[in-house]
Amino acid sequence: MEPKSPKSDLPTLEDVARAAGVSTATVSRTLNSPDQVSEGTRSRVMATVRALRYSPNFGARALAAKRTNTYGAVIPTMENAIFARGLEAFQKVLVANGATMLVASSSYDPAIEEDQIRTMVARGADGILLIGTQRDPEIYDFLKERHIPVVIAWTGTGVTALSCVGFDNEDAAGKLAAKAIGLGHRRIAFISAYTRNNDRARDRVAGVRHALATAGLDPCDMPLLETKYSIQCGRDAFVELMHARPRPTLVMCGNDVLAAGAVRAAHELGLDVPADVSITGFDDIELATVISPALTTVHVPHRKMGGLAAEALLAQVRDNSAPKQTTLETHIVVRQSLAPPGSRTNEMAD
Amino acid sequence: MEPKSPKSDLPTLEDVARAAGVSTATVSRTLNSPDQVSEGTRSRVMATVRALRYSPNFGARALAAKRTNTYGAVIPTMENAIFARGLEAFQKVLVANGATMLVASSSYDPAIEEDQIRTMVARGADGILLIGTQRDPEIYDFLKERHIPVVIAWTGTGVTALSCVGFDNEDAAGKLAAKAIGLGHRRIAFISAYTRNNDRARDRVAGVRHALATAGLDPCDMPLLETKYSIQCGRDAFVELMHARPRPTLVMCGNDVLAAGAVRAAHELGLDVPADVSITGFDDIELATVISPALTTVHVPHRKMGGLAAEALLAQVRDNSAPKQTTLETHIVVRQSLAPPGSRTNEMAD
DNA sequence: TTGTACGCGTTATCAA
DNA sequence: TTGATAACGCGTACAA
């Protein structure tokens, strides 16, 4: 072993202080609360800072200030457009406020997620963004014990002591189902993401069932398939559901990705969408607009959610403000994939 | 000001040491290099660590060890599937090695990117992942001066002193163009992402031009439109290109997103793809398989790139190994959007 | 407005 | 194998 990491020879606060002919305290103040320093010294110090290309040492700063200005985000995966969007917005707000983002993904695995959360804490995250409420309660105690503010996104229900910014998955899915029922659909099938560790997915199923019951239909009659998050899986599930006789007139999907797979499968089976079978999605990602027919789906304000989550977290950390629950509105986006059952219209849709 | 952030009352190394009846040094060793500690004390210390729910203080650790085990990734945007994939893989490898990822996005803005890079450094990143080579040379000096290893991804050309893991954008685009020319295409147009701060985009254009020249065609004749990264922009660009007479028989796109927009525009114009006009993409993201016709495109191993980038960075930081250039292979994925020109079974073109 | 001086929680060197 | 103890670089009462 030799020079190792000669990260040394970098100027320190003291170097700057000496060069500028002031104390380290003054340099520190100049950097952190400029208005406590007189115009003259301030500019002199700043000049020296630039001249020496000084940059504060992160560890030292964190140690002394007990704050890292770093926030963690633990999400299922970045490869899902809805989280990518949310994260991007989360990060932008953070940066706009001089903070930085740590990211970890859990692959929807609760054990990994817990690990990642602990890692975030160990890495000195000042606050943490989590997706959904579904996890071992112990982890919440852990976070509380360490006074780490948390904001939960993508779910707006069932959260009390924590900040959250989300929407009502159940209600949104229910409204879409109600609309379809109003159109005349009775035989409705559902393709869902795995509900085991996913409260959002579960809520969406529940919403549809509720709508069914409200319409006097038996929710238990609804064929339901759970599967992984991928186009291919949506495709396979759709094929399987189409074996039922009589066939469903509508296949609702827990998200747009599954719905895209369903649409493809329909084409492969020689079925016209929506003439032979209607399909709906959820999320309203770009994908929904690109396939044909374009998906009727539920629009979820992912970016807004990410941005608000960051603001909520920052408020808790910087202003020590209380946790706040925010519920955002969703709305149904009507496109071509949903039509009344058995409606073989000609393809001149708008 | 009041209690602020009572992040106190957390156990420290010293607390553990006292409780376990050993010195702080021993506790530290137990945690960081267990094999330097005897079996007996080790288990005793570990027990106390668990009992006290001790977790090392990040700032203190970073200050003393001069290392954060944190790596930064500065990318154009997470909302682009290719970067999301790469990042996900990058992060996974990092986690597998006990490290954590910081993320910042630049929105393709060089000034913002530079800022983010500096922030990463200020946040104590041990190494940094950058996309492409295109940036102010000064920033490289800055990084070198601070001994921060860098790995550049998405480009495999023109890098010498730094680690990189990428592929030959020019060559890949050239091969696809050559294939199309072989199919008989002569009037080829190109829709590119803005090339101004994007070496990948520029290389792809260059590759096509080169293929044209090789085939005895004049590269300057190729209509070229630069636009933003979005389906809508791809759509608009395509419409504009189709005003030319004679029309191009093939519109190549710098990426799959633009190509998806082009395909949509073709439909809107009543043009059949590929009978009336062929379209190609680049990247091979899921989108390419979902639209119809599915895109003939260039497959780029985004995940592999991200994973290798992490390994390269870790190697440089932990083993102080030398920068390494890695070039990955791409290949053409043949789907339905590219066919010989005028291959409409019957009917004449205007 | 500025300076002094201490403490923050670890790591790592050196002895024992 | 273990223990003292000196850095590490900065923030911040407190004093001037």
Side-chain angles (χ1 to χ4, degrees), chain A residues 163-219:
Chain A
S163 271
C164 80
V165 34
F167 58 96
D168 192 327
N169 284 280
E170 179 168 350
D171 180 67
K175 286 194 171 132
L176 182 54
K179 182 188 186 74
I181 293 169
L183 249 30
H185 287 280
R186 291 297 173 271
R187 298 195 304 279
I188 300 177
F190 198 97
I191 304 176
S192 173
Y194 286 121
T195 56
R196 181 130 189 276
N197 299 300
N198 188 328
D199 48 10
R200 289 90 66 207
R202 196 161 38 233
D203 287 351
R204 292 175 194 180
V205 173
V208 173
R209 286 214 168 106
H210 187 255
L212 252 22
T214 302
L217 301 170
D218 185 353

Side-chain angles (χ1 to χ4, degrees), chain B residues 13 28 32 54 57 61 64:
Chain B
L13 241 208
S28 177
N32 299 312
Y54 167 77
N57 176 288
R61 172 174 271 198

Side-chain angles (χ1 to χ4, degrees), chain A residues 192-334:
Chain A
S192 173
Y194 286 121
T195 56
R196 181 130 189 276
N197 299 300
N198 188 328
D199 48 10
R200 289 90 66 207
R202 196 161 38 233
D203 287 351
R204 292 175 194 180
V205 173
V208 173
R209 286 214 168 106
H210 187 255
L212 252 22
T214 302
L217 301 170
D218 185 353
C220 300
D221 286 349
M222 179 178 79
L224 169 65
L225 243 42
E226 295 193 6
T227 184
K228 282 201 314 185
Y229 182 93
S230 83
I231 290 180
Q232 184 60 36
C233 291
R235 188 189 148 287
D236 296 344
F238 183 87
V239 169
E240 186 171 340
L241 286 173
M242 281 301 121
H243 285 144
R245 289 294 177 279
R247 274 182 185 147
T249 60
L250 164 62
V251 175
M252 298 185 69
C253 300
N255 58 61
D256 288 347
V257 170
L258 292 177
V263 167
R264 182 197 291 181
H267 290 164
E268 289 173 5
L269 294 175
L271 263 23
D272 183 273
V273 180
D276 298 319
V277 57
S278 283
I279 293 174
T280 63
F282 200 111
D283 283 337
D284 193 25
I285 58 178
E286 203 160 35
L287 180 57
T289 72
V290 147
I291 61 178
S292 51
L295 288 176
T296 289
T297 187
V298 174
H299 178 78
V300 177
H302 303 291
R303 294 195 185 85
K304 188 164 195 177
M305 230 173 347
L308 289 176
E311 282 169 11
L313 221 36
L314 285 164
Q316 282 189 76
V317 173
R318 319 249 246 224
D319 313 330
N320 202 18
S321 66
K324 188 176 68 172
Q325 285 82 39
T326 307
T327 300
L328 300 178
E329 291 302 315
T330 60
H331 63 266
I332 296 174
V333 180
V334 177

